Amino acid sequence: MDKLNIAMVSSELAPLAKTGGLADVLSALPSQLLKRGHQCCVFLPAYKSAIAKSEQIEDLHLGFPVPLGDTQIAARVLKTRMADSGLTVYLIDQPRYFDRDQLYGDVHGDFQDNCARFTFFNRAVLEAIRRLRLPINVIHCHDWQAGLIPAYLKTGTETLDNSPMVATVMTIHNLAYQGRYWAPDFAMTGLPYEVFNAAGIEFYSDLCFLKSGLIFADELTTVSSNYAKEIQRPEFGCALDGVLRSRSDQLHGIVNGVDYSAWNPATDQNLPENYSVDNWAAGKAKCKAALQEELDLPIDPNIPIIGMVGRLATQKGWDITIPVMERWLSHANVQWVVLGSGEARYQDWLTSLRARFSDRLSLQLKFSEPLAHRIEAGSDLFLMPSQYEPCGLNQLYSLLYGTVPVVHAVGGLVDTVSPMNLNSSNEFATGFAFHEYNSDALDNCLTWAMQTHQEEPEAWTRLVTNGMKQDWSWDASAAVYENVYRSAISRRINEIK
């Protein structure tokens, strides 16, 4: 089977619906598979944002009821295409569940009906595939929001007439997000009760969407080889490490790639000045000055900028970062640029610091894709002190944009950043890393990075150029996914025989 027909099922897809890196993966990986000659489509909820951001939507006039416990909920299938890649996207429409301003929750927390919303989505996707008669070889399920699909197929609760031997692959983008709901919600899934046990999808008396995918999918992947090892240990396994160890032969760590059509300093239309590895110093200098002006910071080429982009959450290391930031703001001639929103306590803490140090801290409590690009280009260092990080994309963007990453040595950050080492020549180093998760370790690492930037221009130039010369395109990762898909198909065929 040379060419594959793959359906991806996800709760996010950039730019239609995005809260994080999952959306970027779903934009880039299917497009790369299309370039490699495969057929690929994506199923996505018809969120308000997805409908608003689609250039053209086709009503397929396909509607059907979806069982949800003792009720039937109407589903409608819409179709759109991504303009840059031609990727077909099927939108599962039900305004009751998806016509909302946010994807998963609001200021009060997660939506109370998320279990119903994504149970409906999982069953509706399978019914849409059946009614559209799509000749699918593999259904690639992303994160807990698609985790029931492997169970529906393996138990025969749902069948696909046109693809009776369809295989499933489950990708863990972040093991901490599991889709856990109280046991009575199991009834709405329609799955047989014999799978609601410790060997199945029951998880400490709860229904767990993610565990469903981990148990029933033919192959499992996660987004870096180091994270694949970490999550099989109790400290990173989120109580699912035993399940993952039992399936270690089917668990593959595949580093995410970068969409070079969107992230490339030589062509990026979000930047005031384009540059490459051949003229990065001049290009970054102009981007830095423009960023300082845009964010009302003193325009001074000699003041280093530390950039941070992402969720304001403990997972991203804010508990150890803000104390360091406060000390540096008080004593160091450094500018900090922060873009993102999240937990109220971190937003309040940073807002307080911004009020005290407005000439050294720019705080943008929002997400802006164009500004994220300009921060990557205009910063000197990019800080990612994550408590854990399955893969991470911003460190890859930083490498490409000549912005030296400073990272906590966990997950995909280990796989993608080659750190400076006092005991080696550092010929191939691309950044800095600290190993102990505390403010002192972060402070020491950041101090070393800053001293290198200020006092060792040759070493700094080597770090920048090493990073910019690396290839983090999706092509290599897509080739590994192809092998996983074929393994899943073989496993499924052998199981049926």
Side-chain angles (χ1 to χ4, degrees):
M1 185 182 298
D2 293 329
K3 302 304 177 185
L4 302 171
N5 198 322
I6 306 138
M8 297 207 180
V9 185
S10 173
S11 60
E12 299 190 25
L13 166 63
L16 304 183
K18 177 176 178 176
T19 66
L22 170 63
D24 294 326
V25 173
L26 266 292
S27 173
L29 176 57
S31 299
Q32 189 62 45
L33 291 168
L34 289 174
K35 291 178 182 177
R36 295 176 67 87
H38 305 291
Q39 295 296 313
C40 192
C41 64
V42 175
F43 283 85
L44 180 77
Y47 301 114
K48 180 184 289 188
S49 66
I51 292 175
K53 294 179 181 179
S54 294
E55 292 189 5
Q56 187 173 3
I57 292 180
E58 177 184 354
D59 187 345
L60 298 180
H61 302 290
L62 175 61
F64 46 82
V66 175
L68 203 66
D70 295 330
T71 64
Q72 302 273 330
I73 306 295
R76 182 174 68 137
V77 183
L78 308 174
K79 180 180 175 181
T80 187
R81 290 186 185 276
M82 306 301 286
D84 53 348
S85 65
L87 174 70
T88 297
V89 181
Y90 295 102
L91 302 171
I92 301 298
D93 187 33
Q94 170 45 257
R96 169 178 171 182
Y97 289 143
F98 303 128
D99 186 20
R100 305 179 186 183
D101 292 332
Q102 305 298 327
L103 306 191
Y104 312 122
D106 53 25
V107 293
H108 304 293
D110 290 347
F111 293 131
Q112 293 298 306
D113 61 349
N114 274 351
C115 184
R117 296 172 76 222
F118 289 102
T119 298
F120 166 83
F121 176 59
N122 281 229
R123 296 200 80 166
V125 166
L126 291 173
E127 185 65 12
I129 291 173
R130 189 178 72 81
R131 290 180 180 244
L132 290 167
R133 299 192 62 79
L134 300 177
I136 301 298
N137 304 122
V138 177
I139 299 178
H140 188 165
C141 306
H142 293 267
D143 269 351
W144 72 263
Q145 293 89 345
L148 295 184
I149 285 176
Y152 282 131
L153 293 173
K154 282 291 178 72
T155 61
T157 306
E158 297 282 355
T159 58
L160 299 176
D161 303 335
N162 211 39
S163 303
M165 292 192 294
V166 66
T168 57
V169 173
M170 184 77 202
T171 292
I172 308 159
H173 294 268
N174 191 331
L175 191 67
Y177 297 96
Q178 300 176 345
R180 283 182 66 173
Y181 301 98
W182 72 324
D185 280 341
F186 178 78
M188 80 171 66
T189 69
L191 288 164
Y193 272 93
E194 53 262 33
V195 303
F196 192 71
N197 54 50
I201 67 177
E202 179 265 326
F203 188 54
Y204 295 96
S205 300
D206 289 340
L207 161 65
C208 182
F209 280 54
L210 182 60
K211 188 183 178 192
S212 169
L214 300 184
I215 292 290
F216 288 103
D218 296 295
E219 296 282 341
L220 310 177
T221 77
T222 192
V223 290
S224 71
S225 59
N226 190 56
Y227 190 61
K229 298 172 186 174
E230 288 178 343
I231 59 178
Q232 295 181 62
R233 304 198 301 264
E235 58 266 36
F236 289 102
C238 302
L240 286 168
D241 51 290
V243 174
L244 291 161
R245 285 195 299 274
S246 73
R247 300 212 61 192
S248 60
D249 289 346
Q250 291 88 49
L251 176 60
H252 313 269
I254 309 172
V255 172
N256 288 333
V258 173
D259 182 355
Y260 278 66
S261 66
W263 290 91
N264 183 345
T267 58
D268 193 336
Q269 296 183 2
N270 297 292
L271 307 186
E273 183 79 14
N274 292 118
Y275 59 92
S276 68
V277 69
D278 297 322
N279 63 343
W280 66 268
K284 283 187 67 67
K286 291 182 180 179
C287 289
K288 179 176 180 176
L291 182 65
Q292 289 171 323
E293 181 178 15
E294 178 180 359
L295 300 179
D296 293 323
L297 293 170
I299 301 174
D300 188 335
N302 297 315
I303 301 178
I305 295 180
I306 301 172
M308 297 184 73
V309 175
R311 288 182 294 113
L312 305 184
T314 300
Q315 184 227 319
K316 296 300 183 180
W318 283 102
D319 56 330
I320 67 170
T321 298
I322 293 180
V324 174
M325 183 184 292
E326 187 165 13
R327 289 198 296 269
W328 281 54
L329 287 168
S330 300
H331 304 295
N333 191 25
V334 173
Q335 295 172 349
W336 295 73
V337 174
V338 177
L339 171 65
S341 61
E343 297 176 29
R345 55 177 171 161
Y346 296 129
Q347 292 195 171
D348 292 344
W349 200 348
L350 288 166
T351 298
S352 175
L353 288 177
R354 166 65 177 164
R356 292 166 54 196
F357 303 103
S358 60
D359 61 332
R360 293 184 177 182
L361 171 60
S362 170
L363 176 62
Q364 308 295 319
L365 294 175
K366 61 182 181 180
F367 184 75
S368 165
E369 187 80 21
L371 180 55
H373 286 242
R374 291 193 288 275
I375 291 172
E376 289 286 6
S379 299
D380 298 289
L381 294 89
F382 195 93
L383 180 57
M384 291 186 69
S386 306
Q387 191 177 65
Y388 64 92
E389 192 64 64
C391 178
L393 287 172
N394 279 106
Q395 83 279 9
L396 299 181
Y397 303 153
S398 299
L399 293 169
L400 294 171
Y401 281 61
T403 302
V404 175
V406 178
V407 304
H408 181 212
V410 290
L413 304 178
V414 170
D415 292 327
T416 54
V417 177
S418 300
M420 289 276 282
N421 190 316
L422 288 172
N423 301 315
S424 69
S425 67
N426 294 309
E427 181 181 355
F428 303 107
T430 59
F432 297 83
F434 62 98
H435 295 268
E436 299 298 323
Y437 186 76
N438 58 59
S439 292
D440 288 342
L442 168 56
D443 199 332
N444 291 336
C445 186
L446 203 52
T447 298
W448 183 21
M450 195 59 65
Q451 287 175 342
T452 306
H453 175 265
Q454 298 289 81
E455 300 171 10
E456 301 181 53
E458 291 185 5
W460 192 261
T461 295
R462 187 165 58 247
L463 286 169
V464 170
T465 56
N466 282 349
M468 294 188 74
K469 288 178 179 178
Q470 292 188 338
D471 181 2
W472 292 107
S473 62
W474 266 105
D475 195 49
S477 296
V480 181
Y481 274 110
E482 289 174 0
N483 292 332
V484 172
Y485 296 150
R486 292 191 171 97
S487 294
I489 292 168
S490 297
R491 186 176 302 279
R492 181 64 172 150
I493 290 172
N494 291 334
E495 183 180 81
I496 292 174
K497 289 180 179 178

